Amino acid sequence: MLRDSQMYDSGTNQLFVARTHRLCKYVKGIFEGAGGDAKRVNFLSISTFVQHLFENVAAKDEVSAMTRPVVDFKFFSTEIWPQIKGKEKELDDLAVWTQIRSFIKGSWDAAVHGILSKGDYLGLPRERCRLAQDKREDAYAIFMRYKILLEEKGWLDSMDKTTDLIHKVLQTKNFKLYDKIYVDEVQDITQAEIGLLFLATGSQYDGLFLAGDPAQAVSQGVDFRFEEVRSLVYTMSGGKHKVERWEKLYRNFRSHEGILRVSNLVLDCLHNAFPGAAVKLPFDQGLTLGPRPGLLQSVTFEELARLVKANERLRILTRDEHKSALCAELAVHAPGAKNNVWGIVEAKGLEFTDCVVVDFFSTMADPAMQKTWKNLFLDPQAVAVSGKKGRGSGTKFPLA
């Protein structure tokens, strides 16, 4: 991005996009610190980008309608799911939301040609949609109940707005907002949203730079594959353009080997337990050695507050839904500690010198899930999955 801003003239429009505002702000700071002129580059979250795009193609009354609240996963899970779940016991709310957001309504085909029919959805190849055929039957039945409820209540979800925007852009002649768009954490963006980014470059398929890791998806409801980007470009260009295969990066400049060996082992366990859930890339390699992460048990909030007071750089990470409760507990012992507490999603992509993950498993809403994760990481067969010594080996680098 910095190189492009230096190579091209001041008339070149550049955009950086990420899932969260905080990541955009963080990257903007790095860009400016490296000598870049932030006035020449826009830094927008994906939601702000969609709103910005809508303002460029919609009438004023439509723009005001765009600000209406939409159904997100939290609302879907708490308010809608209890009304639409039925006998399909093997599918939970997140599994169904993922099928709706990534395929039935949130895919490019669905956005352009209409919601996928049951036949089209069931016909998706297994390498694209990993859900088994019988489970897809159940997911589509639940979706139909969801669709009816939305129509009855007059509610919209993010897929409805994205679809509407895509059609408006496609109907706008010679539409183009940016020459170059750079996307970080692309695995947290739906296929239809990626299509919008392509359209914003005037369908110049070399104007989009995407970076991400399928194993680090934190956005609820997105089932991402880099292969789909290549397929999307081919489809949008009518078969005229192809994207080269992605470049796999394994050198990690942010973490040392002590942390990476543990994270590689965790990924090894997950790939073994959920084969095909994400592309299995080469293990990350650090530039330097370092200590493994420590495990602290039965730590009180008072002790945690003392850690924060002793180290201003320390950041406390927890589940986003648990953040408010944790801040309230810490405030009793260290009133300013709330500024050091971050949710997992809002911290995604950022870099911290020192951090501690607090109550990640114990705050799971479903107690049964706690037991499932415990079994996964304590099972010797699950831990020693790679069968080789060295990086990622469960025998040489235990989890704790």
Side-chain angles (χ1 to χ4, degrees):
M1 185 166 61
L2 177 62
R3 183 198 64 184
D4 287 348
S5 68
Q6 294 170 342
M7 286 178 57
Y8 300 112
D9 59 47
S10 58
T12 301
N13 294 319
Q14 294 175 271
L15 169 69
F16 173 85
V17 175
R19 172 56 62 182
T20 66
H21 295 284
R22 278 186 163 174
L23 181 53
C24 291
K25 183 179 179 180
Y26 173 73
V27 173
K28 182 179 180 180
I30 294 177
F31 181 77
E32 292 177 321
D37 183 1
K39 294 179 181 180
R40 294 181 54 185
V41 183
N42 283 336
F43 294 83
L44 304 177
S45 68
I46 185 65
S47 58
T48 304
F49 162 75
V50 170
Q51 179 67 23
H52 173 60
L53 204 59
F54 197 85
E55 292 170 354
N56 278 271
V57 297
K60 291 184 178 180
D61 58 334
E62 292 178 311
V63 172
S64 61
M66 184 69 173
T67 61
R68 288 171 51 193
V70 298
V71 173
D72 57 10
F73 175 69
K74 182 178 180 181
F75 189 84
F76 177 84
S77 178
T78 58
E79 303 295 331
I80 295 180
W81 181 248
Q83 302 182 58
I84 63 174
K85 65 179 180 179
K87 61 181 181 180
E88 304 88 358
K89 301 297 184 182
E90 294 187 30
L91 291 175
D92 61 14
D93 50 356
L94 180 56
V96 173
W97 180 252
T98 300
Q99 297 306 301
I100 296 173
R101 191 168 182 225
S102 290
F103 305 109
I104 301 174
K105 289 186 72 175
S107 63
W108 177 257
D109 287 341
V112 174
H113 303 296
I115 293 171
L116 293 189
S117 67
K118 182 178 180 179
D120 289 339
Y121 171 59
L122 296 179
L124 292 176
R126 185 63 185 268
E127 59 268 18
R128 183 178 177 192
C129 178
R130 293 178 291 109
L131 197 65
Q133 284 290 321
D134 58 330
K135 300 299 184 297
R136 291 192 206 181
E137 293 265 6
D138 293 342
Y140 204 87
I142 297 174
F143 162 71
M144 291 305 297
R145 297 198 288 271
Y146 169 68
K147 181 174 179 291
I148 292 172
L149 183 62
L150 287 186
E151 293 171 351
E152 291 176 348
K153 299 292 186 179
W155 291 336
L156 296 176
D157 56 29
S158 60
M159 291 77 77
D160 292 319
K161 290 194 171 184
T162 300
T163 295
D164 182 52
L165 182 53
I166 286 174
H167 283 280
K168 282 182 168 55
V169 172
L170 289 174
Q171 293 167 8
T172 304
K173 293 183 178 180
N174 303 318
F175 182 82
K176 180 180 179 181
L177 289 180
Y178 298 99
D179 300 292
K180 294 285 184 178
I181 297 180
Y182 315 85
V183 185
D184 195 15
E185 308 293 347
V186 68
Q187 73 276 358
D188 291 323
I189 298 177
T190 66
Q191 189 186 53
E193 289 170 339
I194 294 173
L196 272 178
L197 291 164
F198 276 119
L199 292 176
T201 66
S203 297
Q204 294 182 6
Y205 302 102
D206 58 350
L208 195 62
F209 182 89
L210 307 175
D213 184 347
Q216 296 188 34
V218 297
S219 182
Q220 292 151 327
V222 179
D223 191 349
F224 178 83
R225 294 287 187 279
F226 271 108
E227 292 88 345
E228 290 191 21
V229 175
R230 303 180 73 219
S231 173
L232 178 62
V233 170
Y234 186 83
T235 299
M236 291 181 65
S237 67
K240 296 178 181 179
H241 296 278
K242 294 182 179 180
V243 176
E244 296 181 3
R245 288 193 174 275
W246 59 91
E247 183 176 352
K248 301 176 183 179
L249 306 177
Y250 64 89
R251 180 67 69 185
N252 192 310
F253 294 92
R254 305 174 104 185
S255 301
H256 56 67
E257 281 287 281
I259 293 176
L260 293 175
R261 284 173 173 171
V262 175
S263 65
N264 288 335
L265 176 57
V266 172
L267 282 175
D268 221 358
C269 292
L270 295 177
H271 281 301
N272 183 64
F274 309 102
V279 177
K280 195 168 185 179
L281 302 174
F283 286 130
D284 277 8
Q285 297 179 13
L287 296 176
T288 61
L289 299 176
R292 286 175 294 176
L295 178 62
L296 305 177
Q297 293 180 297
S298 302
V299 177
T300 66
F301 288 109
E302 184 178 1
E303 292 170 327
L304 192 58
R306 282 203 298 267
L307 287 175
V308 174
K309 291 178 180 178
N311 183 358
E312 294 182 352
R313 299 179 304 178
L314 182 67
R315 295 295 180 265
I316 299 173
L317 306 182
T318 190
R319 290 182 173 275
D320 291 72
E321 59 270 24
H322 180 59
K323 177 182 173 181
S324 297
L326 181 56
C327 286
E329 293 283 0
L330 284 176
V332 176
H333 307 286
K338 66 178 183 180
N339 297 324
N340 295 65
V341 181
W342 297 59
I344 298 293
V345 174
E346 66 176 343
K348 183 70 177 69
L350 303 181
E351 183 175 353
F352 305 117
T353 304
D354 302 298
C355 65
V356 55
V357 181
V358 176
D359 294 340
F360 182 80
F361 295 106
S362 63
T363 56
M364 286 182 172
D366 185 358
M369 290 298 295
Q370 298 179 28
K371 184 177 181 180
T372 301
W373 283 104
K374 181 178 180 180
N375 292 339
L376 172 64
F377 288 124
L378 294 184
D379 181 359
Q381 295 300 318
V383 174
V385 292
S386 61
K388 57 177 180 284
K389 301 293 182 180
R391 182 174 291 103
S393 168
T395 56
K396 189 171 182 179
F397 304 111
L399 284 173

